């Protein structure tokens, strides 16, 4: 069987030079390609000014930026897959909860009961005693301020309260190669982010923020308590809501080295603190081609309004060459495996009387895209962005809370990559 490792024999026809380039797991090191140099001097003479070969690849379409064990995506096969630390996301949804997956992503293993309890308690403690200035910063924003701005402001306020955690102010490296400090940074940042989500949601919904958390309860339950999404009789969140968020968050916790993760890793390469790195990642999410895509798709579906109007919108996009939001994906070239599970969950919620009426528009859009030769010939299918929002709205949240509640799971993947970079 052919090996994916070996050597490439490269002949530069500009000057006749021959090179032997090592290949490891079908990857070539850029520094080895830099040995290929163009010189204008006569062959055989020394040229210290010879320019090394450069690779032009806008969008990083065929560049391996780093080695990572966190997430694997196979989007080209007829049976695409998404794996976290070696587990398929379906397997994790069926057998574990989001706490398990958080520990798996950041620390590389499914926690034992003892580890899980210790992690739960440690994270809850870190969410307590929210600085009053952080609360006041969020309150200072207009009540309709975009969620991204609220989250970034709250995180910045948290960081300002802890200047000793910023390497530049300490005048030295604090995290790289120091796993104890890195792990503490992960817990501190997770807690700050969940509190920022709760503060932002309460501010936008016009309700009081409740800082009470229980060290014996999972973070999803504590977050819903902070937001005030609890049953007035039981004083606990609805069980179906907790179950649904567990499933939604597991499948959305990471997606390899995408736009926001790349931004985070750029910041991490300067040995920045985790909060600053997360702020960098969130800032990249403003664009409609990344984390803002879900909002763009929902806006389109809301504008369509009725399944009977889907065909006209698709025809208009095809005629003008305009991209249809929610159709096509840079990694999934056959179909997006996450949509299958999300639709299954939405059907369960619908059977329990929880449904966004626009869900039918998305289903009709997918049906038409599947049957249309225009999309089939281009390998385009509906992606998770067409359905993600409905998991949030069906639970009774306003549509725009998809931003903080979506990032509440992606923060885990971001910190997993930050920790990997620091180690």
């Amino acid at each position: 069987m052919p090996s994916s490792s070996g050597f490439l024999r490269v002949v530069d026809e500009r000057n006749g030079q021959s090179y032997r380039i090592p290949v490891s797991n079908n990857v070539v090191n850029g520094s080895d390609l830099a040995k290929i140099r163009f010189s204008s001097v006569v062959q055989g003479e020394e040229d210290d000014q010879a320019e090394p070969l450069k690779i032009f690849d806008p969008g990083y379409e065929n560049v391996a930026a780093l080695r990572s064990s966190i997430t694997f995506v196979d989007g080209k096969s007829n049976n695409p897959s998404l794996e976290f630390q070696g587990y398929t996301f379906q397997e994790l949804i069926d057998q574990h909860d989001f706490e398990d997956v958080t520990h798996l992503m950041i620390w590389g293993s499914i926690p034992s009961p003892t580890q899980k309890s210790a992690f739960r308690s440690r994270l809850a403690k870190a969410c307590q005693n929210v600085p009053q200035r952080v609360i006041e910063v969020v309150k200072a924003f207009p009540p309709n301020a975009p969620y991204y701005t609220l989250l970034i402001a709250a995180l910045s306020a948290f960081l300002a309260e802890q200047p000793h955690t910023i390497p530049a102010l300490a005048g030295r490296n604090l995290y790289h190669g120091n796993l104890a400090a890195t792990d503490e940074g992960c817990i501190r940042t997770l807690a700050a982010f969940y509190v920022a989500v709760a503060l932002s949601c309460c501010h936008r919904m016009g309700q009081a923020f409740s800082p009470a958390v229980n060290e014996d309860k999972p973070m999803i339950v504590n977050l819903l308590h902070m937001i005030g999404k609890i049953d007035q009789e039981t004083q606990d969140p609805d069980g179906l809501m907790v179950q649904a968020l567990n499933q939604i968050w597991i499948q959305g916790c990471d997606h390899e080295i995408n736009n926001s993760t790349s931004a985070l890793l750029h910041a991490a390469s300067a040995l920045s603190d985790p909060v600053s790195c997360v702020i960098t990642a969130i800032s990249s999410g403003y664009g409609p081609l990344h984390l803002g895509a879900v909002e763009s798709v929902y806006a389109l579906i809301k504008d369509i309004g009725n399944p009977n109007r889907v065909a006209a919108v698709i025809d208009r996009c095809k005629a003008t060459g305009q991209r249809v939001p929610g159709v096509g994906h840079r990694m999934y070239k056959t179909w997006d495996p996450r949509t299958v599970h999300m639709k299954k969950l939405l059907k369960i919620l619908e059977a329990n009387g929880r449904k966004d009426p626009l869900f039918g528009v998305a289903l009709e859009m997918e049906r038409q895209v599947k049957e249309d030769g225009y999309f089939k010939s281009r390998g385009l299918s509906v992606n998770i962005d067409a359905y993600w929002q409905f998991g949030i709205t069906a639970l009774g949240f306003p549509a725009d809370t998809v931003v903080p509640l979506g990032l509440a799971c992606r923060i885990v993947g971001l910190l997993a990559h930050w920790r990997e970079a620091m180690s």
Side-chain angles (χ1 to χ4, degrees):
M1 184 176 180
S3 172
S4 62
S5 300
F7 293 89
L8 291 180
R9 177 68 65 183
V10 178
V11 177
D12 188 343
E13 293 189 354
R14 299 171 299 177
N15 54 23
Q17 290 286 339
S18 178
Y19 303 88
R20 193 166 183 252
I21 307 295
V23 182
S24 176
N25 293 321
N26 207 36
V27 175
V28 174
N29 281 329
S31 58
D32 288 324
L33 289 180
K35 296 174 183 176
I36 302 174
R37 293 172 174 263
F38 176 74
S39 173
S40 58
V41 303
V42 178
Q43 185 174 349
E45 296 184 9
E46 295 278 337
D47 183 4
D48 294 335
Q49 305 302 316
E51 284 290 321
L53 186 70
K54 303 284 195 307
I55 298 174
F56 179 64
D57 188 9
Y60 304 132
E61 293 186 4
N62 193 40
V63 171
L66 79 164
R67 297 182 186 275
S68 175
S69 63
I70 296 169
T71 302
F72 172 74
V73 177
D74 176 9
K76 295 181 180 179
S77 72
N78 291 325
N79 188 28
S81 62
L82 170 62
E83 297 180 5
F84 300 133
Q85 297 281 19
Y87 295 82
T88 66
F89 81 95
Q90 296 98 327
E91 180 182 3
L92 292 170
I93 285 173
D94 291 341
Q95 301 176 21
H96 298 280
D97 61 17
F98 189 67
E99 270 188 320
D100 290 335
V101 175
T102 298
H103 195 281
L104 170 69
M105 291 294 287
I106 298 177
W107 289 282
S109 65
I110 299 292
S112 67
T114 301
Q115 288 175 319
K116 188 172 184 175
S117 177
F119 167 62
R120 177 181 294 180
S121 175
R122 192 177 176 191
L123 183 56
K125 286 179 180 178
C127 289
Q128 297 170 0
N129 302 316
V130 180
Q132 184 60 33
R133 276 185 289 246
V134 175
I135 298 174
E136 291 171 355
V137 163
V138 175
K139 285 184 175 181
F141 277 71
N144 63 343
Y147 271 109
Y148 285 113
T149 61
L150 294 171
L151 293 171
I152 291 170
L155 288 175
S156 298
F158 265 112
L159 189 59
E161 293 284 332
Q162 301 170 328
H164 62 281
T165 66
I166 303 174
L169 294 184
R172 60 188 176 89
N173 163 50
L174 296 179
Y175 304 102
H176 191 253
N178 184 345
L179 278 184
T182 298
D183 289 343
E184 180 60 36
C186 287
I187 294 290
R188 185 174 62 247
T189 306
L190 276 175
F193 192 80
Y194 288 131
V195 170
V197 168
L199 283 169
S200 301
C201 287
C202 290
H203 183 66
R204 285 292 305 270
M205 296 177 190
Q207 61 193 46
F209 164 69
S210 172
V213 292
N214 190 320
E215 294 178 22
D216 297 321
K217 293 187 176 180
M219 194 63 239
I220 284 182
V221 173
N222 278 328
L223 178 61
L224 292 172
H225 267 282
M226 287 191 284
I227 295 175
K229 280 285 186 179
I230 58 174
D231 183 277
Q232 293 305 312
E233 290 187 9
T234 65
Q235 288 298 298
D236 262 328
D238 173 75
L240 183 59
M241 180 181 290
V242 173
Q243 177 188 348
L245 284 176
N246 266 296
Q247 295 186 24
I248 294 170
W249 283 10
I250 287 173
Q251 61 92 16
C253 69
D254 192 48
H255 209 249
E256 266 195 6
I257 312 299
N258 54 24
N259 181 292
S260 55
T261 305
S262 295
L264 174 133
L265 290 171
H266 277 293
S269 69
L271 303 185
S272 299
D273 63 273
V275 174
S276 294
C277 292
V278 168
I279 289 172
T280 303
I282 295 173
S283 298
S284 75
Y286 270 98
L289 295 184
H290 188 35
L291 298 175
V294 177
E295 292 178 286
S296 298
V297 177
Y298 193 76
L300 171 68
I301 291 175
K302 189 175 181 180
D303 184 57
I304 294 173
N306 188 297
N308 296 329
R309 298 183 58 206
V310 170
V313 172
I314 288 181
D315 288 343
R316 185 173 69 242
C317 289
K318 286 162 53 180
T320 59
Q322 180 182 351
R323 180 178 177 272
V324 183
V327 176
H329 195 279
R330 70 181 183 89
M331 299 189 73
Y332 296 111
K333 302 306 181 184
T334 52
W335 52 279
D336 187 339
R338 299 169 297 175
T339 61
V340 175
H341 183 83
M342 182 62 82
K343 285 189 292 183
K344 180 180 176 182
L345 174 61
L346 292 172
K347 292 289 186 182
I348 292 173
L349 292 174
E350 183 179 0
N352 284 271
R354 303 184 183 196
K355 179 185 177 182
D356 186 320
L358 294 174
F359 177 39
V361 178
L363 289 172
E364 177 61 17
M365 185 168 75
E366 181 177 22
R367 186 191 69 79
Q368 293 197 24
V369 167
K370 279 184 176 180
E371 297 177 358
D372 194 319
Y374 175 90
F375 298 103
K376 291 167 68 175
S377 65
R378 291 165 171 77
L380 300 174
S381 62
V382 166
N383 64 49
I384 189 62
D385 295 334
Y387 292 111
W388 175 277
Q389 189 105 27
F390 299 115
I392 302 301
T393 55
L395 294 174
F397 289 97
D400 57 2
T401 53
V402 71
V403 174
L405 294 181
L407 286 169
C409 63
R410 188 55 62 89
I411 181 68
V412 168
L414 292 172
L415 286 174
H417 286 286
W418 179 77
R419 186 181 188 273
E420 188 177 65
M422 292 303 102
S423 63

